Amino acid sequence: MQGAGVSAERFDHFMARANAAYYANRKFGQDFITSPEITQVFGELLGAWAKIVWQMAGAPEDIILAEAGPGRGLLMEDALRVWPTRKVHFIETSPALRAEQASRVPYAQWHDNLASIPSGPMILLANEFLDTLPVRQFIRRESGWMERYVEHGAYVELPADYNLPDDPVGSVREVNEAALAFVRTLSARGAIGLFIDYGPSESAAGESVQAIRNCAYADPLTAPGEADLTAHVDFAALKRAVHAQGPIKQNHFLTALGLYQRSDRLAQRHPEKAMDLRLSVQRLTAPEAMGSLFKVLAVCPPGLPPLPGFE
Ligand code: SAH
């Protein structure tokens, strides 16, 4: 496993390439299901959250509502029902998913990254976006920290040029530089960002990269582009990098925003959906699953009172 040839690709570069290919093929939606796909109430609550945050910020008229990694566009479609803002900007790299998003929010504008979104007040939503961004992977050997590369479908290692804690031999550390850069850019422009993702609340050693292919766990290195590669989001690292509220558990956040009440009201209007709605709510809040494994972090300027759900 040691040593690497000239064709070795750093693991985060491999992951970025594999995911770009995966999302370009729009396999998304077939291999896993996300909260906005589970129930419309999820996006509606986030729309309500954004509206209240906008009011707390003095209701600037030129507010931009942005979303990073909008997938099929359901979250934004649902959010806009509650808060019909006109200036909608999407950060999305997959042409196929852009087309699908356009079918739901035709007047949106698309960007490859944050940099090209016009300046001005902005609220950004992101569900299961940071976990798809590429991580660097380091492994502690007797000789010190090594960094993982990929060559001919296998891991190889090179001495790491990176400052890491003194973990026991055999430990793995992951660093999501792309996620850190994203929240730093957002924070520097004074925007407010809501990030919902799978991850622990404390930074810890451990390998979290996983590949899902045809709805099953797969080897991350086999058939790049055929599997969705994700890594747990290190919320504590994000919080050390920028000013933020949280992270809190998804079930606390959604419950505080009125998940149960909104689902009940919807069930009363559509009794045929009542059973589905009850199951969806359970799925989003289950303490042993999505409810507590998913965390919510709000990147925001210092000095704001607690944002809705973070009280
Ligand atoms: N938020 C959606 C989709 C999550 S999947 C949901 O909850 O259902 C991840 C999304 O991020 C996809 O839309 C994917 O195309 C997009 N994405 C992945 N990497 C990206 C990158 N580097 N830049 C912009 N978008 C990216």
Side-chain angles (χ1 to χ4, degrees):
M1 257 224 191
Q2 304 278 333
V6 282
S7 62
E9 185 177 26
R10 214 170 73 187
F11 179 75
D12 57 329
H13 298 158
F14 169 85
M15 181 169 169
R17 206 165 47 80
N19 271 344
Y22 176 82
Y23 286 107
N25 286 329
R26 212 179 49 132
K27 288 277 179 38
F28 169 77
Q30 297 163 27
D31 287 337
F32 54 90
I33 179 160
T34 58
S35 301
E37 313 260 333
I38 291 175
T39 171
Q40 68 183 77
V41 177
F42 184 81
E44 290 172 359
L45 289 175
L46 265 52
W49 184 88
K51 184 177 184 180
I52 296 167
V53 168
W54 168 66
Q55 287 162 343
M56 286 170 72
E61 226 171 80
D62 54 343
I63 186 75
I64 289 172
L65 181 59
E67 186 181 353
R72 300 203 294 134
L74 291 164
L75 191 164
M76 187 58 85
E77 185 180 44
D78 296 332
L80 290 170
R81 244 193 328 277
V82 176
W83 185 35
T85 46
R86 291 309 299 172
K87 285 183 162 185
V88 176
H89 291 258
F90 284 147
I91 298 171
E92 175 61 66
T93 40
S94 158
L97 286 172
R98 280 188 179 196
E100 185 147 356
Q101 292 151 18
S103 73
R104 301 211 158 78
V105 190
Y107 60 89
Q109 293 179 52
W110 281 264
H111 306 266
D112 285 335
N113 51 54
L114 271 175
S116 55
I117 299 185
S119 58
M122 176 167 92
I123 297 171
L124 177 133
L125 307 173
N127 184 62
E128 294 210 46
F129 167 69
L130 297 177
D131 69 337
T132 70
L133 299 182
V135 292
R136 293 175 72 173
Q137 272 193 337
F138 301 92
I139 182 152
R140 180 68 197 260
R141 299 295 182 198
E142 291 287 354
S143 59
W145 282 102
M146 303 291 283
E147 179 158 14
R148 268 187 176 163
Y149 286 68
V150 179
E151 191 173 39
H152 308 307
Y155 290 116
V156 291
E157 296 169 10
L158 286 169
D161 179 17
Y162 210 90
N163 205 7
L164 291 157
D166 193 20
D167 295 332
V169 170
S171 304
V172 172
R173 284 267 170 183
E174 294 171 341
V175 178
N176 195 331
E177 289 183 332
L180 287 165
F182 191 90
V183 296
R184 282 200 178 103
T185 306
L186 189 79
S187 177
R189 66 170 277 165
I192 295 173
L194 188 72
F195 295 91
I196 305 179
D197 239 302
Y198 198 96
S201 16
E202 297 299 329
S203 300
E207 183 169 357
S208 77
V209 168
Q210 66 174 37
I212 305 272
R213 184 183 179 193
N214 301 325
C215 307
Y217 292 110
D219 173 37
L221 301 191
T222 310
E226 291 296 310
D228 177 48
L229 299 185
T230 57
H232 293 181
V233 173
D234 185 351
F235 284 103
L238 300 180
K239 196 157 165 133
R240 284 192 294 273
V242 295
H243 189 270
Q245 296 183 14
I248 57 173
K249 291 176 179 174
Q250 166 164 293
N251 51 11
H252 293 167
F253 179 72
L254 294 178
T255 304
L257 293 186
L259 173 67
Y260 288 89
Q261 294 84 338
R262 186 173 275 274
S263 295
D264 284 350
R265 277 205 305 276
L266 198 58
Q268 278 159 16
R269 272 184 281 135
H270 304 279
E272 75 286 358
K273 287 190 189 166
M275 183 60 122
D276 263 0
L277 279 162
R278 198 154 2 156
L279 291 173
S280 304
V281 167
Q282 271 170 19
R283 206 159 161 192
L284 293 182
T285 56
E288 69 287 359
M290 288 187 98
S292 67
L293 300 175
F294 275 76
K295 306 290 185 318
V296 188
L297 184 80
V299 172
C300 60
L304 284 180
L307 300 175
F310 292 89
E311 294 94 348

